[in-house]
C-alpha cells in the first residue's frame, strides 16, 4: 500500500508532494533554501512570524532568559534559531542559554535559571531532559544550584554588574 504499482519504481504524485512539503518546511523552520515556485517575500514573512512564535514559546519556558535579554530577546533568539530546526521550547531555550553562557553573554538572572535547570534535570543536548535521581550541582555564570532529594536550592546567585556612577564593568565571572 505504498501507492506504487508492483514492479514500477517511478515516483508517484504523492511522493513528489511529500518532497515539496519537506523542502517548504525546511525553508520555513530550518533555514533551508526557498523551494522553487515560492515567492521569497511571503516566505520570508512567514519564516519571521514562525520565529517570533517560537521565541514566545521559549520565553514561556525560560522567562528569566527572555527577561534578562530584554529588548534584545527577539533578535538574539532569531539569530540563534534561524538555521536550527526546533527541538521543542524547553530544549531550544536550554541550548540557547548554554550557547550564551559559552560566549559569556548570559545575563545573571538567566545564569541562575540555567544553574537550577542543570541541577534539576539531566540534558545532554541530544535527548529530552530527564529528572536527576542522585544529588546534583548546577553551575552557570557564577550561580550555583544544588538538588538533593528532588528539591533544588540556589546556593549562590550570579554576580550582578556594578552600575555605580554609570560605570558598567562586568564581574570576573563574565556575567
Amino acid at each position: 500500500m505504498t501507492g506504487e504499482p508492483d514492479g514500477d519504481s517511478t515516483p508517484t504524485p504523492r511522493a513528489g508532494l511529500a518532497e515539496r512539503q519537506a523542502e517548504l518546511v525546511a525553508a520555513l523552520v530550518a533555514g533551508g533554501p526557498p523551494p522553487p515556485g515560492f515567492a521569497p517575500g511571503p516566505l520570508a514573512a512567514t519564516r519571521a512570524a514562525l520565529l517570533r512564535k517560537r521565541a514566545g514559546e521559549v520565553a514561556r519556558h525560560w522567562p528569566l532568559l527572555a527577561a534578562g535579554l530584554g529588548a534584545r530577546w527577539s533578535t538574539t533568539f532569531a539569530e540563534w534559531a534561524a538555521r536550527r530546526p526546533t527541538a521543542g521550547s524547553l530544549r531550544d531555550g536550554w541550548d540557547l542559554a548554554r550557547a550564551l553562557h559559552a560566549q559569556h553573554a548570559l545575563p545573571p538572572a538567566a545564569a541562575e535559571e540555567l544553574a537550577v535547570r542543570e541541577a534539576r534535570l539531566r540534558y545532554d543536548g541530544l535527548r529530552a531532559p530527564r529528572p536527576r535521581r542522585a544529588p546534583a550541582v548546577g553551575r552557570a555564570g557564577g550561580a550555583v544550584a544544588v538538588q538533593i532529594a528532588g528539591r533544588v536550592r540556589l546556593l549562590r546567585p550570579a554576580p550582578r554588574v556594578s552600575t555605580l556612577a554609570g560605570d558598567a564593568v562586568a564581574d570576573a565571572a563574565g556575567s
Side-chain angles (χ1 to χ4, degrees):
M1 307 231 53
T2 61
E4 294 180 10
D6 290 337
D8 187 7
S9 63
T10 59
T12 64
R14 277 191 162 179
L17 176 62
E19 289 173 13
R20 291 192 314 268
Q21 286 174 337
E23 289 174 0
L24 179 60
V25 169
L28 290 174
V29 298
F38 283 89
L43 192 65
T46 303
R47 181 183 300 127
L50 288 172
L51 277 172
R52 281 192 306 273
K53 180 179 179 184
R54 187 172 160 194
E57 289 297 318
V58 171
R60 279 188 262 296
H61 283 280
W62 291 84
L64 299 179
L65 175 60
L69 289 170
R72 299 182 330 237
W73 166 249
S74 295
T75 55
T76 301
F77 182 81
E79 289 169 2
W80 177 84
R83 301 253 177 243
R84 290 176 175 84
T86 185
S89 0
L90 176 64
R91 291 169 65 182
D92 282 348
W94 207 318
D95 292 338
L96 175 59
R98 284 179 173 175
L100 291 173
H101 182 258
Q103 299 168 4
H104 302 287
L106 190 64
E112 294 165 3
E113 187 173 40
L114 178 60
V116 167
R117 294 280 169 96
E118 296 282 358
R120 178 176 288 140
L121 301 168
R122 177 178 316 178
Y123 175 54
D124 61 6
L126 302 173
R127 292 182 295 264
R130 297 175 301 158
R132 292 186 183 271
R133 293 185 182 163
V137 175
R139 294 181 183 93
V144 178
V146 65
Q147 182 268 130
I148 299 174
R151 294 181 180 251
V152 179
R153 296 286 184 252
L154 186 64
L155 294 181
R156 185 175 67 202
R160 301 303 199 255
V161 175
S162 172
T163 57
L164 295 177
D167 182 12
V169 178
D171 63 314
S175 297

